[in-house]
């Protein structure tokens, strides 16, 4: 295919995905079902949800955004919403597929009260394959089983599933840090310093150039550092942190739109609404209503 526009979109629907925003599927059965429906998971396609592919058995090359990444058993493949990916035609992997909506991902991320504001699907975008150490493999399996059980326990289970998924994110994020061997200690420290500055100052500063000044570096150098470390620009990371906090204020904090705008340093509510909608596709009020159900 010569044009990205020609690449098919794959959208998967299930009662759990539609109701709670997450589903856990047997990978082999999922791939077989798609093939029987005339969908070709082994050819490039876009996905309309976030994917965590837990590979218990398999070895091959997984294609993501025109790059091939080698994988083996006991690995996780992360695929972001809207990315183009394809399974290896020569392999028939076994494992679990965790799929979730952007709304569920945002709600689960909002539960994390630590500095892990850069989600796994972003920070690993340049390195989307994570090989699990034995301990994390067992922890991941146990958390997935707990989530799968909770998904069958009725309408109130969504909060439990969110918390379990948040725990899984933190566990994966910790191992992620050990998989940045391509970075020098100086790069790791500088990137960490940038993230801490964003966490401390995002309510008063939304421009990457301002953080470059705080780091006594140039805007260009800061962007290069962020791209090497996580595949995204400094501004994208700043915006993600702000949007995450807005969602927290509107949902967990119970703030009104006007109150959230004021607390996050927006002098004009109209600008606040436009900013949020530009990054999420929804107005803050619509997001708040959807969350409250």
């Amino acid at each position: 295919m010569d044009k990205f526009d020609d690449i098919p979109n794959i959208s998967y629907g299930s009662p759990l995905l539609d109701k709670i925003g997450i589903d856990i599927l047997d990978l082999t059965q999922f791939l077989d079902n798609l093939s029987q429906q005339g969908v070709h998971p082994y050819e490039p396609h876009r996905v309309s949800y976030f994917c965590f592919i837990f590979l218990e058995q398999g070895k091959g090359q997984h294609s993501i955004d025109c790059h091939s990444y080698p994988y083996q058993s006991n690995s996780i493949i992360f695929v972001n919403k809207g990315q183009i990916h394809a399974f290896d035609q020569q392999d028939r992997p076994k494992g679990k597929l965790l799929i979730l909506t952007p709304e569920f991902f945002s709600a689960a991320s909002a539960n994390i009260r630590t500095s892990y504001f850069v989600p796994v699907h972003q920070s690993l975008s340049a390195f989307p394959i994570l090989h699990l150490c034995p301990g994390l493999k067992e922890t991941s399996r146990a958390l997935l089983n707990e989530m799968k059980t909770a998904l069958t326990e009725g309408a109130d289970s969504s909060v439990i599933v969110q918390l379990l998924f948040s725990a899984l994110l933190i566990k994966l994020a910790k191992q992620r840090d050990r998989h940045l061997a391509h970075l020098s200690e100086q790069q790791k420290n500088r990137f960490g310093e940038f993230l801490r500055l964003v966490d401390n100052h995002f309510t008063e500063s939304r421009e990457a150039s301002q953080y470059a000044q705080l780091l006594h570096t140039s805007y260009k150098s800061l962007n290069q550092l962020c791209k090497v470390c996580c595949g995204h620009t400094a501004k994208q990371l700043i915006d993600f942190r702000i949007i995450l906090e807005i969602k927290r204020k509107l949902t967990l904090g119970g703030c009104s739109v006007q109150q959230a705008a004021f607390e996050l340093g927006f002098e004009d509510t109209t600008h606040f609404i436009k900013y949020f909608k530009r990054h999420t596709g929804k107005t803050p009020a619509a997001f708040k209503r959807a969350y409250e159900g």
Side-chain angles (χ1 to χ4, degrees):
M1 297 181 182
D2 296 328
K3 298 179 180 179
F4 279 1
D5 290 344
D6 296 329
I7 294 176
N9 292 283
I10 288 185
S11 180
Y12 176 80
S14 77
L16 287 175
L17 191 66
D18 296 337
K19 183 177 181 181
I20 299 179
I22 186 172
D23 203 352
I24 301 171
L25 309 164
D26 178 82
L27 182 58
T28 302
Q29 186 175 351
F30 175 76
L31 293 174
D32 288 345
N33 287 344
L34 285 183
S35 298
Q36 290 170 9
Q37 295 168 17
V39 178
H40 303 290
Y42 303 99
E43 295 180 1
H45 59 276
R46 294 182 195 272
V47 287
S48 57
Y49 37 73
F50 294 117
C51 300
F52 287 65
I53 306 168
F54 289 80
L55 294 163
E56 296 170 359
Q57 294 180 31
K59 185 176 182 180
Q61 301 273 336
H62 198 90
S63 173
I64 302 175
D65 288 340
C66 303
H67 294 281
S68 292
Y69 298 94
Y71 64 83
Q72 56 185 306
S73 298
N74 300 320
S75 297
I76 298 181
I77 302 173
F78 303 91
V79 184
N80 200 350
K81 176 182 179 292
Q83 282 192 308
I84 298 167
H85 81 125
F87 288 86
D88 191 333
Q89 189 110 25
Q90 306 303 315
D91 188 35
R92 292 296 182 269
K94 296 181 179 179
K96 296 288 187 294
L97 174 65
L98 191 156
I99 56 177
L100 53 151
T101 64
E103 292 76 18
F104 181 92
F105 199 107
S106 295
S109 298
N111 292 323
I112 301 175
R113 300 295 188 179
T114 72
S115 61
Y116 292 112
F117 72 82
V118 183
V120 173
H121 75 273
Q122 281 197 351
S123 59
L124 279 174
S125 59
F127 302 93
I129 310 290
L130 181 65
H131 184 68
L132 301 178
C133 65
L136 185 54
K137 179 187 74 173
E138 295 305 318
T139 299
S140 299
R141 182 178 295 171
L143 286 170
L144 283 173
N145 287 337
E146 289 292 332
M147 280 189 274
K148 197 166 181 63
T149 299
L151 284 169
T152 66
E153 293 179 346
D156 295 334
S157 66
S158 59
V159 175
I160 297 173
V161 178
Q162 281 182 18
L163 293 173
L164 289 168
F165 180 72
S166 299
L168 179 62
L169 277 186
I170 293 175
K171 287 286 188 181
L172 296 176
K174 286 184 176 180
Q175 183 166 331
R176 169 206 67 194
D177 291 340
R178 296 194 289 269
H179 281 249
L180 298 178
H182 66 291
L183 301 176
S184 67
E185 286 303 312
Q186 183 181 17
Q187 287 174 316
K188 291 179 186 178
N189 292 336
R190 291 288 277 174
F191 186 58
E193 187 178 356
F194 167 66
L195 296 183
R196 285 189 292 273
L197 283 171
V198 173
D199 219 19
N200 291 331
H201 299 288
F202 67 89
T203 59
E204 63 222 38
S205 180
R206 294 190 288 273
E207 297 302 323
S209 58
Q210 295 171 317
Y211 289 95
Q213 290 177 4
L214 291 173
L215 288 166
H216 305 291
T217 189
S218 68
Y219 170 83
K220 182 178 179 180
S221 295
L222 177 59
N223 259 343
Q224 288 175 337
L225 174 68
C226 291
K227 287 180 179 179
V228 167
C229 290
C230 71
H232 292 267
T233 66
K235 185 67 167 88
Q236 286 172 326
L237 295 177
I238 296 164
D239 287 335
F240 177 85
R241 181 63 182 95
I242 295 167
I243 292 298
L244 176 58
E245 196 64 24
I246 293 172
K247 290 178 177 178
R248 286 175 172 171
K249 294 283 186 186
L250 294 174
T251 55
L252 300 178
C255 290
S256 67
V257 173
Q258 292 79 7
Q259 185 181 0
F262 174 76
E263 291 185 5
L264 293 174
F266 288 82
E267 295 181 1
D268 180 71
T269 303
T270 301
H271 174 60
F272 173 79
I273 293 171
K274 289 180 178 178
Y275 176 86
F276 187 83
K277 187 173 183 179
R278 183 167 69 250
H279 289 283
T280 67
K282 293 182 178 180
T283 65
F287 173 80
K288 187 176 175 67
R289 285 196 301 271
Y291 182 87
E292 293 173 346

